[in-house]
Amino acid sequence: MSLWRTGRFLKSCVDVAQLPAQTCPELAFLGRTNVGKSSLIGALFHQPTLVRTSRQHGSTKMLNVFAAGNLKRPQTPSLFVVDTPGYGIGWVQRLVCVCV
């Protein structure tokens, strides 16, 4: 069973000011790079192809906004879900620690 009945891509933003008007709650997924934030969003919507995923670090470069709705009013979002770029690349941080 899906947490939300419908999910659709809304827009990509390079700045917080470009996010849609706050007409409903927002849920943003934050975390390190390559930990599965995008995959989790696809799983929550039961639409794995809704979100682009990659094995390579840093494939999410913008704030990607998805609208979650229900079957009765699919065009009226009940929640905005935001996929954010990851932070920190583990192997780079370990290399810096070894060199210091």
Side-chain angles (χ1 to χ4, degrees):
M1 183 173 89
S2 165
L3 277 176
W4 304 292
R5 294 293 184 170
T6 62
R8 62 186 168 88
F9 174 77
L10 199 57
K11 69 187 292 188
S12 290
C13 310
V14 294
D15 190 67
V16 177
Q18 297 175 328
L19 290 172
Q22 196 169 12
T23 57
C24 60
E26 295 175 358
L27 175 63
F29 287 90
L30 307 169
R32 294 180 63 102
T33 188
N34 210 33
V35 296
K37 296 179 297 294
S38 299
S39 297
L40 176 62
I41 291 172
L44 289 174
F45 283 115
H46 282 280
Q47 298 176 19
T49 58
L50 179 66
V51 184
R52 183 180 180 277
T53 60
S54 173
R55 291 180 189 219
Q56 187 163 350
H57 296 290
S59 70
T60 303
K61 304 221 184 302
M62 296 186 274
L63 300 171
N64 297 309
V65 183
F66 301 88
N70 57 45
L71 291 176
K72 294 180 182 176
R73 294 178 293 163
Q75 294 303 318
T76 305
S78 58
L79 179 72
F80 289 131
V81 178
V82 183
D83 187 15
T84 63
Y87 58 87
I89 297 177
W91 63 269
V92 172
Q93 290 178 347
R94 282 194 297 275
L95 181 63
V96 170
C97 290
V98 169
C99 292
V100 172

